Structure formats: C-alpha cells, structure tokens
PDB file of all heavy atoms in Angstrom:
ATOM      1  N   LEU A 188     111.647  89.358 149.388  1.00 94.00           N
ATOM      2  CA  LEU A 188     112.785  90.096 149.930  1.00 94.00           C
ATOM      3  C   LEU A 188     113.749  90.442 148.811  1.00 94.00           C
ATOM      4  O   LEU A 188     114.188  89.570 148.062  1.00 94.00           O
ATOM      5  CB  LEU A 188     113.487  89.249 150.995  1.00 94.00           C
ATOM      6  CG  LEU A 188     114.488  89.964 151.899  1.00 94.00           C
ATOM      7  CD1 LEU A 188     113.792  90.990 152.768  1.00 94.00           C
ATOM      8  CD2 LEU A 188     115.221  88.954 152.776  1.00 94.00           C
ATOM      9  N   VAL A 189     114.094  91.717 148.683  1.00 93.00           N
ATOM     10  CA  VAL A 189     115.010  92.143 147.624  1.00 93.00           C
ATOM     11  C   VAL A 189     116.299  92.730 148.185  1.00 93.00           C
ATOM     12  O   VAL A 189     117.277  92.883 147.458  1.00 93.00           O
ATOM     13  CB  VAL A 189     114.343  93.170 146.680  1.00 93.00           C
ATOM     14  CG1 VAL A 189     113.217  92.518 145.894  1.00 93.00           C
ATOM     15  CG2 VAL A 189     113.847  94.388 147.440  1.00 93.00           C
ATOM     16  N   GLU A 190     116.295  93.103 149.459  1.00 92.00           N
ATOM     17  CA  GLU A 190     117.499  93.667 150.066  1.00 92.00           C
ATOM     18  C   GLU A 190     117.689  93.089 151.465  1.00 92.00           C
ATOM     19  O   GLU A 190     116.726  92.969 152.234  1.00 92.00           O
ATOM     20  CB  GLU A 190     117.409  95.188 150.168  1.00 92.00           C
ATOM     21  CG  GLU A 190     117.634  95.921 148.871  1.00 92.00           C
ATOM     22  CD  GLU A 190     117.943  97.388 149.108  1.00 92.00           C
ATOM     23  OE1 GLU A 190     119.034  97.689 149.624  1.00 92.00           O
ATOM     24  OE2 GLU A 190     117.092  98.212 148.773  1.00 92.00           O
ATOM     25  N   ARG A 191     118.923  92.745 151.770  1.00 94.00           N
ATOM     26  CA  ARG A 191     119.270  92.321 153.126  1.00 94.00           C
ATOM     27  C   ARG A 191     120.712  92.739 153.368  1.00 94.00           C
ATOM     28  O   ARG A 191     121.632  92.223 152.732  1.00 94.00           O
ATOM     29  CB  ARG A 191     119.134  90.797 153.292  1.00 94.00           C
ATOM     30  CG  ARG A 191     119.434  90.310 154.721  1.00 94.00           C
ATOM     31  CD  ARG A 191     119.676  88.801 154.739  1.00 94.00           C
ATOM     32  NE  ARG A 191     118.520  88.056 154.292  1.00 94.00           N
ATOM     33  CZ  ARG A 191     117.543  87.648 155.104  1.00 94.00           C
ATOM     34  NH1 ARG A 191     117.603  87.920 156.388  1.00 94.00           N
ATOM     35  NH2 ARG A 191     116.526  86.958 154.624  1.00 94.00           N
ATOM     36  N   ASP A 192     120.906  93.705 154.251  1.00 94.00           N
ATOM     37  CA  ASP A 192     122.249  94.173 154.576  1.00 94.00           C
ATOM     38  C   ASP A 192     122.356  94.299 156.088  1.00 94.00           C
ATOM     39  O   ASP A 192     121.701  95.151 156.700  1.00 94.00           O
ATOM     40  CB  ASP A 192     122.527  95.520 153.919  1.00 94.00           C
ATOM     41  CG  ASP A 192     124.016  95.865 153.906  1.00 94.00           C
ATOM     42  OD1 ASP A 192     124.709  95.530 154.891  1.00 94.00           O
ATOM     43  OD2 ASP A 192     124.477  96.465 152.923  1.00 94.00           O
ATOM     44  N   PRO A 193     123.176  93.444 156.721  1.00 94.00           N
ATOM     45  CA  PRO A 193     123.265  93.487 158.179  1.00 94.00           C
ATOM     46  C   PRO A 193     123.977  94.722 158.714  1.00 94.00           C
ATOM     47  O   PRO A 193     123.826  95.052 159.888  1.00 94.00           O
ATOM     48  CB  PRO A 193     124.048  92.215 158.518  1.00 94.00           C
ATOM     49  CG  PRO A 193     124.834  91.919 157.291  1.00 94.00           C
ATOM     50  CD  PRO A 193     124.000  92.373 156.146  1.00 94.00           C
ATOM     51  N   ARG A 194     124.759  95.407 157.870  1.00 92.00           N
ATOM     52  CA  ARG A 194     125.457  96.615 158.329  1.00 92.00           C
ATOM     53  C   ARG A 194     125.758  97.520 157.121  1.00 92.00           C
ATOM     54  O   ARG A 194     126.843  97.484 156.576  1.00 92.00           O
ATOM     55  CB  ARG A 194     126.737  96.253 159.074  1.00 92.00           C
ATOM     56  CG  ARG A 194     127.304  97.415 159.895  1.00 92.00           C
ATOM     57  CD  ARG A 194     128.458  96.970 160.788  1.00 92.00           C
ATOM     58  NE  ARG A 194     128.861  98.043 161.681  1.00 92.00           N
ATOM     59  CZ  ARG A 194     128.312  98.328 162.851  1.00 92.00           C
ATOM     60  NH1 ARG A 194     127.305  97.571 163.283  1.00 92.00           N
ATOM     61  NH2 ARG A 194     128.741  99.321 163.606  1.00 92.00           N
ATOM     62  N   LEU A 195     124.789  98.312 156.762  1.00 90.00           N
ATOM     63  CA  LEU A 195     124.950  99.272 155.684  1.00 90.00           C
ATOM     64  C   LEU A 195     125.467 100.581 156.287  1.00 90.00           C
ATOM     65  O   LEU A 195     124.872 101.122 157.224  1.00 90.00           O
ATOM     66  CB  LEU A 195     123.616  99.498 154.978  1.00 90.00           C
ATOM     67  CG  LEU A 195     123.576 100.570 153.886  1.00 90.00           C
ATOM     68  CD1 LEU A 195     124.492 100.210 152.728  1.00 90.00           C
ATOM     69  CD2 LEU A 195     122.147 100.778 153.406  1.00 90.00           C
ATOM     70  N   ILE A 196     126.561 101.101 155.753  1.00 87.00           N
ATOM     71  CA  ILE A 196     127.187 102.318 156.275  1.00 87.00           C
ATOM     72  C   ILE A 196     127.075 103.415 155.218  1.00 87.00           C
ATOM     73  O   ILE A 196     127.444 103.208 154.053  1.00 87.00           O
ATOM     74  CB  ILE A 196     128.666 102.058 156.628  1.00 87.00           C
ATOM     75  CG1 ILE A 196     128.773 100.959 157.691  1.00 87.00           C
ATOM     76  CG2 ILE A 196     129.340 103.329 157.126  1.00 87.00           C
ATOM     77  CD1 ILE A 196     130.202 100.500 157.949  1.00 87.00           C
ATOM     78  N   PHE A 197     126.570 104.591 155.624  1.00 87.00           N
ATOM     79  CA  PHE A 197     126.467 105.702 154.672  1.00 87.00           C
ATOM     80  C   PHE A 197     126.341 107.016 155.443  1.00 87.00           C
ATOM     81  O   PHE A 197     126.124 107.037 156.663  1.00 87.00           O
ATOM     82  CB  PHE A 197     125.278 105.515 153.731  1.00 87.00           C
ATOM     83  CG  PHE A 197     123.913 105.559 154.392  1.00 87.00           C
ATOM     84  CD1 PHE A 197     123.163 106.729 154.388  1.00 87.00           C
ATOM     85  CD2 PHE A 197     123.383 104.431 154.991  1.00 87.00           C
ATOM     86  CE1 PHE A 197     121.912 106.775 154.983  1.00 87.00           C
ATOM     87  CE2 PHE A 197     122.128 104.471 155.601  1.00 87.00           C
ATOM     88  CZ  PHE A 197     121.390 105.649 155.593  1.00 87.00           C
ATOM     89  N   VAL A 198     126.510 108.108 154.721  1.00 89.00           N
ATOM     90  CA  VAL A 198     126.317 109.453 155.272  1.00 89.00           C
ATOM     91  C   VAL A 198     125.052 110.017 154.638  1.00 89.00           C
ATOM     92  O   VAL A 198     125.017 110.236 153.421  1.00 89.00           O
ATOM     93  CB  VAL A 198     127.527 110.363 154.971  1.00 89.00           C
ATOM     94  CG1 VAL A 198     127.269 111.775 155.506  1.00 89.00           C
ATOM     95  CG2 VAL A 198     128.803 109.793 155.577  1.00 89.00           C
ATOM     96  N   PRO A 199     123.993 110.235 155.403  1.00 90.00           N
ATOM     97  CA  PRO A 199     122.783 110.815 154.806  1.00 90.00           C
ATOM     98  C   PRO A 199     123.089 112.133 154.110  1.00 90.00           C
ATOM     99  O   PRO A 199     123.808 112.990 154.630  1.00 90.00           O
ATOM    100  CB  PRO A 199     121.874 111.038 156.032  1.00 90.00           C
ATOM    101  CG  PRO A 199     122.304 109.989 157.015  1.00 90.00           C
ATOM    102  CD  PRO A 199     123.801 109.896 156.829  1.00 90.00           C
ATOM    103  N   GLY A 200     122.545 112.265 152.900  1.00 85.00           N
ATOM    104  CA  GLY A 200     122.797 113.449 152.103  1.00 85.00           C
ATOM    105  C   GLY A 200     123.855 113.263 151.036  1.00 85.00           C
ATOM    106  O   GLY A 200     123.982 114.098 150.151  1.00 85.00           O
ATOM    107  N   HIS A 201     124.618 112.160 151.122  1.00 84.00           N
ATOM    108  CA  HIS A 201     125.662 111.922 150.127  1.00 84.00           C
ATOM    109  C   HIS A 201     125.155 111.169 148.898  1.00 84.00           C
ATOM    110  O   HIS A 201     125.907 110.976 147.949  1.00 84.00           O
ATOM    111  CB  HIS A 201     126.813 111.132 150.765  1.00 84.00           C
ATOM    112  CG  HIS A 201     127.760 111.991 151.539  1.00 84.00           C
ATOM    113  ND1 HIS A 201     128.978 111.549 151.991  1.00 84.00           N
ATOM    114  CD2 HIS A 201     127.662 113.279 151.932  1.00 84.00           C
ATOM    115  CE1 HIS A 201     129.587 112.530 152.644  1.00 84.00           C
ATOM    116  NE2 HIS A 201     128.812 113.581 152.621  1.00 84.00           N
ATOM    117  N   GLY A 202     123.917 110.731 148.907  1.00 83.00           N
ATOM    118  CA  GLY A 202     123.381 110.037 147.742  1.00 83.00           C
ATOM    119  C   GLY A 202     123.843 108.601 147.612  1.00 83.00           C
ATOM    120  O   GLY A 202     123.782 108.033 146.522  1.00 83.00           O
ATOM    121  N   ASP A 203     124.300 107.999 148.705  1.00 82.00           N
ATOM    122  CA  ASP A 203     124.814 106.629 148.633  1.00 82.00           C
ATOM    123  C   ASP A 203     123.715 105.579 148.694  1.00 82.00           C
ATOM    124  O   ASP A 203     123.979 104.405 148.415  1.00 82.00           O
ATOM    125  CB  ASP A 203     125.795 106.372 149.784  1.00 82.00           C
ATOM    126  CG  ASP A 203     127.071 107.182 149.650  1.00 82.00           C
ATOM    127  OD1 ASP A 203     127.407 107.537 148.506  1.00 82.00           O
ATOM    128  OD2 ASP A 203     127.713 107.450 150.665  1.00 82.00           O
ATOM    129  N   VAL A 204     122.508 105.952 149.106  1.00 89.00           N
ATOM    130  CA  VAL A 204     121.412 105.000 149.285  1.00 89.00           C
ATOM    131  C   VAL A 204     120.143 105.611 148.707  1.00 89.00           C
ATOM    132  O   VAL A 204     120.112 106.784 148.306  1.00 89.00           O
ATOM    133  CB  VAL A 204     121.204 104.662 150.781  1.00 89.00           C
ATOM    134  CG1 VAL A 204     122.406 103.916 151.347  1.00 89.00           C
ATOM    135  CG2 VAL A 204     120.939 105.919 151.602  1.00 89.00           C
ATOM    136  N   VAL A 205     119.071 104.818 148.667  1.00 91.00           N
ATOM    137  CA  VAL A 205     117.793 105.321 148.147  1.00 91.00           C
ATOM    138  C   VAL A 205     117.271 106.429 149.060  1.00 91.00           C
ATOM    139  O   VAL A 205     117.615 106.515 150.245  1.00 91.00           O
ATOM    140  CB  VAL A 205     116.760 104.188 148.016  1.00 91.00           C
ATOM    141  CG1 VAL A 205     117.215 103.148 147.011  1.00 91.00           C
ATOM    142  CG2 VAL A 205     116.468 103.545 149.371  1.00 91.00           C
ATOM    143  N   GLN A 206     116.399 107.264 148.524  1.00 92.00           N
ATOM    144  CA  GLN A 206     115.934 108.438 149.257  1.00 92.00           C
ATOM    145  C   GLN A 206     115.142 108.078 150.503  1.00 92.00           C
ATOM    146  O   GLN A 206     115.147 108.834 151.480  1.00 92.00           O
ATOM    147  CB  GLN A 206     115.090 109.326 148.350  1.00 92.00           C
ATOM    148  CG  GLN A 206     115.918 110.253 147.467  1.00 92.00           C
ATOM    149  CD  GLN A 206     115.055 111.354 146.876  1.00 92.00           C
ATOM    150  OE1 GLN A 206     114.022 111.086 146.285  1.00 92.00           O
ATOM    151  NE2 GLN A 206     115.489 112.581 147.025  1.00 92.00           N
ATOM    152  N   ALA A 207     114.459 106.938 150.491  1.00 95.00           N
ATOM    153  CA  ALA A 207     113.710 106.537 151.685  1.00 95.00           C
ATOM    154  C   ALA A 207     114.631 106.434 152.891  1.00 95.00           C
ATOM    155  O   ALA A 207     114.272 106.847 153.999  1.00 95.00           O
ATOM    156  CB  ALA A 207     113.008 105.199 151.440  1.00 95.00           C
ATOM    157  N   LEU A 208     115.824 105.903 152.687  1.00 96.00           N
ATOM    158  CA  LEU A 208     116.783 105.795 153.786  1.00 96.00           C
ATOM    159  C   LEU A 208     117.452 107.140 154.059  1.00 96.00           C
ATOM    160  O   LEU A 208     117.711 107.496 155.211  1.00 96.00           O
ATOM    161  CB  LEU A 208     117.827 104.731 153.466  1.00 96.00           C
ATOM    162  CG  LEU A 208     117.297 103.327 153.206  1.00 96.00           C
ATOM    163  CD1 LEU A 208     118.450 102.351 152.969  1.00 96.00           C
ATOM    164  CD2 LEU A 208     116.436 102.841 154.372  1.00 96.00           C
ATOM    165  N   GLU A 209     117.758 107.905 153.003  1.00 93.00           N
ATOM    166  CA  GLU A 209     118.357 109.235 153.177  1.00 93.00           C
ATOM    167  C   GLU A 209     117.474 110.109 154.071  1.00 93.00           C
ATOM    168  O   GLU A 209     117.970 110.844 154.927  1.00 93.00           O
ATOM    169  CB  GLU A 209     118.507 109.921 151.814  1.00 93.00           C
ATOM    170  CG  GLU A 209     119.536 109.306 150.895  1.00 93.00           C
ATOM    171  CD  GLU A 209     120.871 110.021 150.984  1.00 93.00           C
ATOM    172  OE1 GLU A 209     121.070 110.817 151.898  1.00 93.00           O
ATOM    173  OE2 GLU A 209     121.712 109.757 150.110  1.00 93.00           O
ATOM    174  N   LEU A 210     116.161 110.040 153.854  1.00 95.00           N
ATOM    175  CA  LEU A 210     115.232 110.896 154.575  1.00 95.00           C
ATOM    176  C   LEU A 210     114.778 110.294 155.894  1.00 95.00           C
ATOM    177  O   LEU A 210     114.520 111.011 156.868  1.00 95.00           O
ATOM    178  CB  LEU A 210     114.000 111.179 153.700  1.00 95.00           C
ATOM    179  CG  LEU A 210     114.260 111.903 152.379  1.00 95.00           C
ATOM    180  CD1 LEU A 210     112.987 111.942 151.534  1.00 95.00           C
ATOM    181  CD2 LEU A 210     114.752 113.315 152.634  1.00 95.00           C
ATOM    182  N   GLY A 211     114.671 108.978 155.929  1.00 96.00           N
ATOM    183  CA  GLY A 211     114.098 108.332 157.109  1.00 96.00           C
ATOM    184  C   GLY A 211     115.066 108.131 158.256  1.00 96.00           C
ATOM    185  O   GLY A 211     114.717 108.357 159.427  1.00 96.00           O
ATOM    186  N   VAL A 212     116.281 107.696 157.948  1.00 96.00           N
ATOM    187  CA  VAL A 212     117.220 107.352 159.022  1.00 96.00           C
ATOM    188  C   VAL A 212     117.543 108.548 159.920  1.00 96.00           C
ATOM    189  O   VAL A 212     117.661 108.384 161.136  1.00 96.00           O
ATOM    190  CB  VAL A 212     118.494 106.714 158.423  1.00 96.00           C
ATOM    191  CG1 VAL A 212     119.579 106.558 159.478  1.00 96.00           C
ATOM    192  CG2 VAL A 212     118.151 105.348 157.820  1.00 96.00           C
ATOM    193  N   PRO A 213     117.687 109.790 159.394  1.00 96.00           N
ATOM    194  CA  PRO A 213     117.963 110.910 160.301  1.00 96.00           C
ATOM    195  C   PRO A 213     116.863 111.192 161.318  1.00 96.00           C
ATOM    196  O   PRO A 213     117.082 111.963 162.255  1.00 96.00           O
ATOM    197  CB  PRO A 213     118.134 112.100 159.348  1.00 96.00           C
ATOM    198  CG  PRO A 213     118.622 111.482 158.077  1.00 96.00           C
ATOM    199  CD  PRO A 213     117.845 110.194 157.985  1.00 96.00           C
ATOM    200  N   THR A 214     115.667 110.586 161.164  1.00 96.00           N
ATOM    201  CA  THR A 214     114.603 110.775 162.151  1.00 96.00           C
ATOM    202  C   THR A 214     114.691 109.757 163.280  1.00 96.00           C
ATOM    203  O   THR A 214     113.893 109.825 164.222  1.00 96.00           O
ATOM    204  CB  THR A 214     113.219 110.644 161.490  1.00 96.00           C
ATOM    205  OG1 THR A 214     112.986 109.270 161.126  1.00 96.00           O
ATOM    206  CG2 THR A 214     113.118 111.518 160.244  1.00 96.00           C
TER     207      THR A 214
END
C-alpha cells in the first residue's frame, strides 16, 4: 500500500491528482 486517503478533494482537470484519478473519477 502506497496511498491511503479517506477524503481526497479535487477538481478533475485541474491537475491536482494523478491522471488515473483525473480520467477515472468522472466516469
């Protein structure tokens, strides 16, 4: 395990997180 965040807040498209989350979460 390398990441554990119980409440990560971001706006997809703003570049705040890795691309897997940028692209995946909006689906």
